[in-house]
Amino acid sequence: MEIKLQLEKAAARYERELLESVVPFWEKHSIDRECGGYFNFLTRDGKVFDNEKSMWMQWRMVYMFATLYASEYRQDRWLELSRHGYEFLTQHGKDQHGNYYFSLNRKGEPMVAAYNIYSDCFAAMGAAALFKATGETKYRKEAELSMSHYLSRVDNPKGKWEKSMPGKPKRKTLGHYMMMANLGYVLNECLGTEQYEADIRRAADTVLDMFWNPELDLLFENVNLDGSVDLESCDGRHINPGHGLEAMWFLLQYARRTGDRRLAAKACYVVKSLLEFGWDPVHGGLFYFMDAKGLPHAELQWDMKLWWVHNEAILASLFAYEASRDSNFLDWFQRLDEWTWRRFPDPEHGEWYAYLNRHGEPTHTLKGGRWKCFFHLPRCLLFGTRLMRGSEMK
Amino acid sequence: MEIKLQLEKAAARYERELLESVVPFWEKHSIDRECGGYFNFLTRDGKVFDNEKSMWMQWRMVYMFATLYASEYRQDRWLELSRHGYEFLTQHGKDQHGNYYFSLNRKGEPMVAAYNIYSDCFAAMGAAALFKATGETKYRKEAELSMSHYLSRVDNPKGKWEKSMPGKPKRKTLGHYMMMANLGYVLNECLGTEQYEADIRRAADTVLDMFWNPELDLLFENVNLDGSVDLESCDGRHINPGHGLEAMWFLLQYARRTGDRRLAAKACYVVKSLLEFGWDPVHGGLFYFMDAKGLPHAELQWDMKLWWVHNEAILASLFAYEASRDSNFLDWFQRLDEWTWRRFPDPEHGEWYAYLNRHGEPTHTLKGGRWKCFFHLPRCLLFGTRLMRGSEMK
């Protein structure tokens, strides 16, 4: 099949899945009309199986509904659903220092303290998307405030909950820099500023200069402060292909906007390397965690296949194809797309399974949970559709 | 085969595995002669793949080597290996309040702070076993001191690292009571006192009165303060069959010593119920975590099969058979024994794999790691051999 036709067919499938399966599932089952906010824990057919409201998940849903409202598919109800979460979270979500708790109970009372600064990141993203959708100043203010809280805590992120002692080697972690790269991009775009340009640039350079190791041809999760790798420890050898691929499309998106060909070329190279390293040669799909030297991984669930890893890998392959026009990335897209779509979607109740075992069989039937909500999948479907239909692709 | 002969054959197999496979593996690979203490992270063939020295694992090894020295298999070198760990840990392991850190680096510098009070529990057990082995007062003192630190922190175990907020329902957790039941038993036995008798009794009663739910026929991990169950939340519904079975043999061991037939009968009933609930009807073996209502489990690795779960289940089935002479428990022992021995032992390099997937295939080749050391397996082999040869069994 001609590439153009092939991508158009896939784009139609992504668009249909977004609008006819994924969005309706969350619209129907996740809105807590009684107490505010969203239900995060949803069974296969949308029943609530826990009431905890995790800040990451809640704010990601505010972001996603606002982003859909601001998209080519605009529906007024999506703005209402985004505001619905925003009101609940800004009313109940902050501690006395203005930092977002990690989670609330159904009524909005704090369950878990504000020990995790990514709560503030997702708040900033959610509020920024609402500003883009509405132009209302209060959303911009909330985005900037949350961002300032995040930035003020970034050097000591865990605060009083920090358990590390001097005998533990100090590391830089990829998560912070990839978060900064995307958060800066989203804020600049949604708020219509260039305020975070230098932050994005610094984060992008750090990812490629410090975390990418050209000798070992690997992107590491944790590196020494000078960018060297500690191959003697589990956390030094830790590789997270999904994280790396997500980081790479953040960089490719930024490179596209700034026209930075050098950055794009380097990110494409890393995408290829991560896909080759992360792909399971026996059962297909991408591993969740890996060890750089193939030694046993410290985490039990390392060999599982996660929905978000495959969502981010699909976007990375499409961004890399767009940037390079290298047909290898189209081949990777097809391989990922085929493997993913054959296993994750639930034809009976809609939406996708979250967790498969190494063999590719679902281990859980949940559609929402502590770490899955209305975010990675709809973002992949929305951005994927756009990429495949984009003029750059054909 | 006649029961007596059958058990004698199995006992010989357990004894041989202990003395010819498991103990030699740890003697050969885990002793850090250069820096002190033990290496915890060992590959399939005994190579060190991380240097972190976790307090739980280190003290459990002190306990196990001392226990083996004090056993019918006494070898002088096991006392030396136990002291080797003790010296390192008492020299480097404590913070300014006298609480044990969670982990040290290879040289003995603290890596992770003393946020976990079970470190002190395992220190008390290890030191007590050394007192039993030697009669030297310093070990008794250390055991009593660690025990007093544990008890002083038990009402606020996480101290400044506590993240729970008022909106999170307060729960009792099984772990504390099962720890108290075993720790009290080990301390009384090793120190030759009855000092902890009331603590054990209270812990045993709490486990059966509060965590055992007769209507639902299940032993819960987390219950409300009045012993009721919160079936609306993931942590309320959380079932950990291996934990429960380990707790039950602690209780059966105590019931044997005290001649408490009522306690024994109740514990036997719970063993049967946990085995029936926890057994995987499709692939065999016991699940790691389960949901009381069969709803999706919050943890990714819930369906994995872990070595320690099967070690503790084997002991529970043998203790229950000893207490009840009910042939159902012998059937359970045989089923567990067959499933476990066919999959976990490594015939090539000795010792056992730690983690299998639901299908029963190893997902990791490690022999030691963050949560596996020289403890559950040798204890199962030692106690199992004794139980099968015990006069009560035949």
Side-chain angles (χ1 to χ4, degrees), chain A residues 91-324:
Chain A
Q91 189 181 338
H92 299 290
K94 293 183 190 189
D95 72 8
Q96 72 272 31
H97 309 293
N99 301 320
Y100 277 103
Y101 295 116
F102 187 69
S103 71
L104 308 175
N105 64 19
R106 187 176 174 196
K107 292 187 234 160
E109 295 154 344
M111 281 183 78
V112 179
Y115 76 92
N116 185 297
I117 60 172
Y118 292 134
S119 300
D120 297 286
C121 297
F122 294 116
M125 269 176 71
L130 266 171
F131 177 75
K132 185 181 173 192
T134 64
E136 293 174 28
T137 317
K138 70 171 181 178
Y139 297 127
R140 168 197 280 277
K141 280 189 180 154
E142 181 58 38
E144 285 169 347
L145 187 62
S146 296
M147 187 67 174
S148 74
H149 277 273
Y150 170 59
L151 293 175
S152 74
R153 294 170 77 198
V154 100
D155 291 330
N156 180 22
K158 294 189 187 158
K160 73 168 182 134
W161 293 281
E162 180 60 63
K163 296 170 188 161
S164 297
M165 303 281 298
K168 186 167 181 171
K170 291 220 183 322
R171 314 266 199 226
K172 284 177 185 288
T173 60
L174 179 63
H176 165 59
Y177 298 93
M178 65 180 275
M179 175 57 82
M180 193 61 236
N182 189 48
L183 192 54
Y185 185 91
V186 169
L187 261 63
N188 274 353
E189 193 223 327
C190 290
L191 306 182
T193 74
E194 296 195 348
Q195 193 181 338
Y196 300 105
E197 203 64 18
D199 296 302
I200 308 171
R201 167 58 62 186
R202 207 161 35 235
D205 289 346
T206 306
V207 169
L208 292 176
D209 296 344
M210 302 281 255
F211 292 92
W212 169 250
N213 188 300
E215 288 89 56
L216 298 164
D217 218 21
L218 279 172
L219 189 77
F220 285 85
E221 280 291 303
N222 306 297
V223 296
N224 297 323
L225 299 185
D226 64 357
S228 62
V229 182
D230 174 9
L231 289 175
E232 301 306 307
S233 75
C234 291
D235 80 304
R237 290 189 306 270
H238 179 44
I239 309 286
N240 183 331
H243 231 198
L245 289 161
E246 188 178 1
M248 286 308 113
W249 77 249
F250 293 163
L251 267 53
L252 285 163
Q253 189 184 33
Y254 175 71
R256 175 172 65 181
R257 210 202 60 218
T258 53
D260 186 336
R261 305 293 309 163
R262 215 181 56 85
L263 178 64
K266 209 163 169 185
C268 284
Y269 184 84
V270 178
V271 169
K272 183 169 162 287
S273 154
L274 280 166
L275 287 169
E276 285 169 0
F277 188 77
W279 187 258
D280 179 354
V282 180
H283 299 284
L286 293 164
F287 289 115
Y288 184 19
F289 296 142
M290 298 177 80
D291 182 281
K293 290 169 73 177
L295 288 163
H297 202 283
E299 297 295 328
L300 274 64
Q301 66 272 31
W302 74 273
D303 70 350
M304 291 178 70
K305 313 285 166 70
L306 274 65
W307 94 102
W308 70 261
V309 172
H310 293 79
N311 288 162
E312 302 310 334
I314 283 170
L315 286 182
S317 69
L318 289 172
F319 269 107
Y321 178 65
E322 182 197 56
S324 67

Side-chain angles (χ1 to χ4, degrees), chain B residues 72-231:
Chain B
E72 56 275 36
Y73 305 108
R74 169 179 304 222
Q75 295 286 342
D76 288 344
R77 64 181 186 276
W78 295 337
L79 178 59
E80 189 272 321
L81 293 180
S82 181
R83 290 194 206 260
H84 172 84
Y86 178 92
E87 294 304 326
F88 177 79
L89 296 168
T90 48
Q91 189 179 338
H92 299 290
K94 294 182 190 190
D95 73 8
Q96 72 272 31
H97 308 294
N99 300 320
Y100 277 102
Y101 295 116
F102 187 71
S103 72
L104 308 175
N105 64 19
R106 185 175 175 195
K107 291 187 232 160
E109 294 154 345
M111 281 183 79
V112 179
Y115 76 94
N116 185 298
I117 59 172
Y118 291 134
S119 300
D120 298 285
C121 297
F122 293 117
M125 271 176 69
L130 267 171
F131 177 75
K132 185 183 174 189
T134 63
E136 292 173 29
T137 318
K138 69 172 182 178
Y139 297 127
R140 169 196 280 276
K141 280 190 179 154
E142 180 60 35
E144 287 170 345
L145 188 62
S146 297
M147 187 66 174
S148 74
H149 277 273
Y150 170 58
L151 293 175
S152 75
R153 295 170 76 199
V154 99
D155 291 330
N156 181 22
K158 295 191 186 160
K160 73 167 182 136
W161 294 281
E162 181 60 63
K163 296 169 188 162
S164 296
M165 302 282 296
K168 184 167 182 173
K170 292 222 182 322
R171 313 266 199 225
K172 285 177 184 287
T173 61
L174 179 64
H176 165 60
Y177 298 92
M178 64 179 277
M179 174 57 83
M180 193 61 236
N182 189 49
L183 193 53
Y185 186 92
V186 169
L187 261 63
N188 274 353
E189 193 223 328
C190 290
L191 306 182
T193 74
E194 298 194 349
Q195 194 181 339
Y196 300 104
E197 204 63 17
D199 295 303
I200 308 171
R201 168 57 62 185
R202 210 164 29 239
D205 289 345
T206 307
V207 169
L208 292 176
D209 296 344
M210 302 280 257
F211 293 91
W212 170 249
N213 189 301
E215 288 89 56
L216 297 164
D217 219 23
L218 279 173
L219 189 78
F220 285 86
E221 280 291 303
N222 306 296
V223 297
N224 297 322
L225 299 186
D226 64 357
S228 63
V229 181
D230 174 10
L231 289 175

